[in-house]
Amino acid sequence: PEDGSLPEISWFSTLGLQVDWHTSRSAMSVLLAADEKDPASRSILLMFNSQHGPQRFRIPKIARSLDWQLFLDTDAEAPGDIYPNIDGPRLPASDYLVLPPRSMRCYVAD
């Protein structure tokens, strides 16, 4: 949007670029922007890796401006698989993150 807000939903490839729906969709991320009219709303970053091996993800540029904390990690053992208070580890400061095979992570913006 021209007003500087995030688009309501954005899909990204593992390179952090807009998804090309004509190529493989076995690993991607999606950014769901917070509703700016609702102060309790938060942005969510989901990363999916349905491949049989680990996948390196580049954090999308528009997502790097927010501070993300882990909410859900399907590859982790309990109790480190879910953080109901959204107090999990922060998204790494580097531009990249590696997801294990057949896993999903959900990060929530502060």
Side-chain angles (χ1 to χ4, degrees):
E2 293 177 16
D3 63 0
S5 64
L6 294 174
E8 186 175 320
I9 185 168
S10 304
W11 294 89
F12 300 96
S13 70
T14 58
L15 300 175
L17 304 173
Q18 209 169 26
V19 166
D20 176 356
W21 293 105
H22 300 288
T23 62
S24 173
R25 295 176 298 276
S26 60
M28 66 178 60
S29 58
V30 61
L31 174 63
L32 305 166
D35 180 353
E36 294 178 0
K37 297 174 187 164
D38 179 358
S41 178
R42 292 181 166 194
S43 294
I44 297 172
L45 179 62
L46 298 165
M47 298 175 147
F48 304 96
N49 179 16
S50 65
Q51 298 179 14
H52 293 286
Q55 178 62 55
R56 184 177 185 209
F57 283 78
R58 182 177 182 127
I59 308 304
K61 187 176 181 178
I62 66 169
R64 287 185 234 151
S65 64
L66 298 172
D67 189 23
W68 300 95
Q69 286 198 249
L70 185 63
F71 173 67
L72 176 73
D73 182 351
T74 63
D75 188 62
E77 296 289 326
D81 58 338
I82 188 164
Y83 297 88
N85 297 322
I86 311 171
D87 58 353
R90 296 201 176 283
L91 188 65
S94 68
D95 291 346
Y96 293 94
L97 174 70
V98 176
L99 255 66
R102 308 246 181 223
S103 67
M104 180 201 79
R105 286 192 188 157
C106 174
Y107 288 88
V108 178
D110 284 344

